[in-house]
Amino acid sequence: MLLIKNASQLITLEGKIRKDNYDLNILENGAVLIEGDRIVEVGTTKELKNSAEREIDASGHVVMPGFVDPHTHLVFVGTRENELYMKLQGKSYLDILKMGGGILRTVKATREAGKEELIKEVRKRLDYMLKNGTTTAEAKTGYGLNFESEKKMLEVINEIEHPIDLVPTFLGAHAVPPEFRNSGEYIEYLKKVIPKIATHSKFIDIFCEKGVFDCEESKEYLTTGKRYGLIPKIHADEIEDIGCSRIAVEVGAISADHLVKTRDENIEEMAKSNTIAVFLPATPYMLLSKEYARARKFIEHGIPVALATDLNPNAYTESMQMAISLAITQMRMLPEEAIAASTINAAAAIGLEKEIGSIEAGKQADIIIMDAKNYQQIGYHFGVNLVLQAIKKGKIVYTREKNVLN
């Protein structure tokens, strides 16, 4: 057994996903007892009487669930730092895409890469994610855009060995590849690919956006995925609101992601559904935009919200701590809202809220110990990594080494 004790604050997040009340259910001087890969007891240090072969003294530190990152484009090769210069010179995201940059540039590099090269790159990113406290992540395809390359990406996601658990999403409809004349022709091709790919993925996703895939195409594609057992997700209202969040509601999507431009009436429609709003604040940050998703509006309507990194060559960060800080400072989310959005609600956005995302007896022991005395310091103390230790399935998988300064 492993006992974590004396936590200044044990953030349990016990109970259901948060939408009306973002109480973190904090225990002062908290303790967690772990056996195997499961949490067996939670309480104050005084209450936990069972002995353990190993103990961690978390005095002065926050203990909380490991971060869950519910939206990443993890599998790719090549970087696009030169496009930051183009943005600084006034080019938009869609301008760069039309010029053959953006997604299509990464598609070319990823198609040419072998599985071993992809695995090497993915493992490096996963190591950064783990050190920054992420213990579970969703991973999308979308840089293959043909059957062979998309299948290769899914094989990487499913086969890679790493402490972080990955949940695969088929994002075949990320952009229109150059060998197709238009989006409609490509969607018809993808509808034939979906049956071959469905057993390799849990979710299906599409970039619903003006100039990419319209609402009708998105609904057709996601509905086809549902017929083969895939759960819909959708990139919605990132650059313009063409009604993509409404499509999320109509197809019963588990999440609608981005939502920077979502109009009031479409927020009201989402409030009537079970769709989770996933915000990706690192994306407008790297697009040099001052406009972020209106988190307060979604929260006021009782829509459960989650946070993610959107890790990709355009928003290149592995840190959920960065997403939390941006959510607080740019989207006016309260610290407790941002933390719940990065744990229990993020787990719900990938259908795993009954297994991870909170510290409760019976759940998987995915826990991080933070170099913070209270939860309000998370997001406030920014630009550094606050993770001291990460525990995955009951095993210590990362410990920050002591630095010696001479």
Side-chain angles (χ1 to χ4, degrees):
M1 286 191 178
L2 172 65
L3 177 66
I4 306 170
K5 63 181 184 179
N6 298 326
S8 61
Q9 290 187 336
L10 174 63
I11 300 175
T12 70
L13 281 156
E14 181 183 4
K16 298 179 180 179
I17 67 171
R18 270 48 176 182
K19 53 182 181 178
D20 300 314
N21 180 356
Y22 280 79
D23 182 5
L24 299 179
N25 284 352
I26 294 172
L27 293 176
E28 306 287 341
N29 193 27
V32 186
L33 185 65
I34 299 165
E35 184 174 16
D37 65 351
R38 296 284 139 181
I39 297 165
V40 294
E41 194 172 357
V42 180
T44 65
T45 301
K46 289 183 179 179
E47 289 172 340
L48 267 63
K49 304 295 184 182
N50 290 323
S51 60
E53 293 81 12
R54 189 169 186 182
E55 295 185 352
I56 297 174
D57 186 353
S59 296
H61 301 304
V62 168
V63 175
M64 62 180 289
F67 295 125
V68 178
D69 192 342
H71 184 127
T72 82
H73 301 260
L74 180 65
V75 187
F76 64 89
V77 296
T79 55
R80 307 202 308 254
E81 58 273 11
N82 68 307
E83 292 179 8
L84 180 56
Y85 282 85
M86 299 170 74
K87 296 171 197 169
L88 289 166
Q89 293 165 356
K91 299 292 184 184
S92 73
Y93 179 83
L94 292 180
D95 288 336
I96 295 169
L97 183 62
K98 289 175 184 176
M99 295 165 62
I103 293 168
L104 294 178
R105 180 178 169 190
T106 304
V107 167
K108 184 177 185 299
T110 305
R111 282 181 173 182
E112 293 172 354
K115 277 178 65 174
E116 289 306 314
E117 183 181 359
L118 285 171
I119 287 170
K120 181 180 178 181
E121 291 293 317
V122 169
R123 186 172 287 120
K124 182 169 67 173
R125 291 178 197 121
L126 288 172
D127 287 347
Y128 279 127
M129 292 167 72
L130 184 62
K131 290 175 183 177
N132 280 274
T134 297
T135 51
T136 301
E138 182 256 22
K140 301 180 190 296
T141 66
Y143 294 124
L145 306 188
N146 60 34
F147 170 69
E148 294 78 15
S149 297
E150 290 288 303
K151 185 171 181 288
K152 175 178 66 177
M153 294 179 73
L154 282 169
E155 287 171 352
V156 169
I157 295 166
N158 287 313
E159 294 173 13
I160 193 166
E161 294 182 1
H162 196 276
I164 293 178
D165 286 327
L166 295 179
V167 181
T169 294
F170 174 53
L171 179 59
H174 197 192
V176 180
E179 60 267 28
F180 287 86
R181 291 174 296 181
N182 54 58
S183 58
E185 183 179 85
Y186 183 50
I187 289 293
E188 288 303 313
Y189 167 78
L190 288 176
K191 285 161 64 178
K192 297 174 184 175
V193 168
I194 287 169
K196 304 175 187 177
I197 220 94
T199 57
H200 301 277
S201 187
K202 179 175 181 178
F203 300 106
I204 186 168
D205 196 351
I206 188 168
F207 186 12
C208 180
E209 185 61 68
K210 184 177 180 180
V212 191
F213 299 102
D214 64 28
C215 288
E216 184 179 339
E217 291 166 340
S218 298
K219 186 173 181 179
E220 188 177 359
Y221 167 83
L222 294 174
T223 302
T224 302
K226 281 184 74 173
R227 285 203 296 269
Y228 290 94
L230 296 173
I231 301 168
K233 285 178 166 288
I234 188 168
H235 287 56
D237 310 341
E238 178 184 359
I239 300 168
E240 292 192 28
D241 183 351
I242 62 170
C244 301
S245 52
R246 284 181 174 270
I247 298 301
V249 173
E250 288 177 21
V251 302
I254 192 170
S255 74
D257 302 17
H258 285 292
L259 305 171
V260 175
K261 296 285 189 175
T262 310
R263 296 191 298 266
D264 287 355
E265 56 266 34
N266 290 339
I267 293 175
E268 291 167 6
E269 286 300 312
M270 277 190 68
K272 300 173 186 176
S273 74
N274 294 317
T275 300
I276 296 167
V278 178
F279 302 137
L280 313 169
T283 306
Y285 175 78
M286 284 306 295
L287 290 174
L288 312 183
S289 173
K290 295 181 180 179
E291 188 175 9
Y292 289 75
R294 295 183 294 156
R296 296 253 55 87
K297 195 78 174 177
F298 285 85
I299 292 169
E300 287 165 6
H301 277 78
I303 299 169
V305 303
L307 288 172
T309 60
D310 195 20
L311 167 61
N312 71 77
N314 178 61
Y316 204 161
T317 181
E318 293 92 343
S319 174
M320 285 294 291
Q321 295 174 69
M322 178 70 177
I324 288 171
S325 186
L326 287 171
I328 292 169
T329 60
Q330 304 304 308
M331 297 165 60
R332 300 298 190 265
M333 289 180 69
L334 300 177
E336 55 267 34
E337 293 168 344
I339 289 170
S342 303
T343 51
I344 188 64
N345 283 16
I350 54 174
L352 291 176
E353 71 276 15
K354 294 181 180 179
E355 180 73 2
I356 57 172
S358 62
I359 298 178
E360 302 180 67
K363 278 197 167 183
Q364 189 167 284
D366 293 359
I367 296 169
I368 53 177
I369 301 172
M370 304 292 280
D371 189 11
K373 293 181 180 178
N374 61 68
Y375 75 91
Q376 292 183 346
Q377 292 184 352
I378 301 168
Y380 157 79
H381 188 181
F382 66 97
V384 297
N385 180 15
L386 297 177
V387 176
L388 293 173
Q389 283 189 304
I391 293 130
K392 177 68 181 180
K393 297 180 181 176
K395 295 180 180 179
I396 300 170
V397 290
Y398 169 72
T399 300
R400 184 200 292 178
E401 295 179 0
K402 292 183 179 179
N403 294 314
V404 179
L405 299 178
N406 295 320

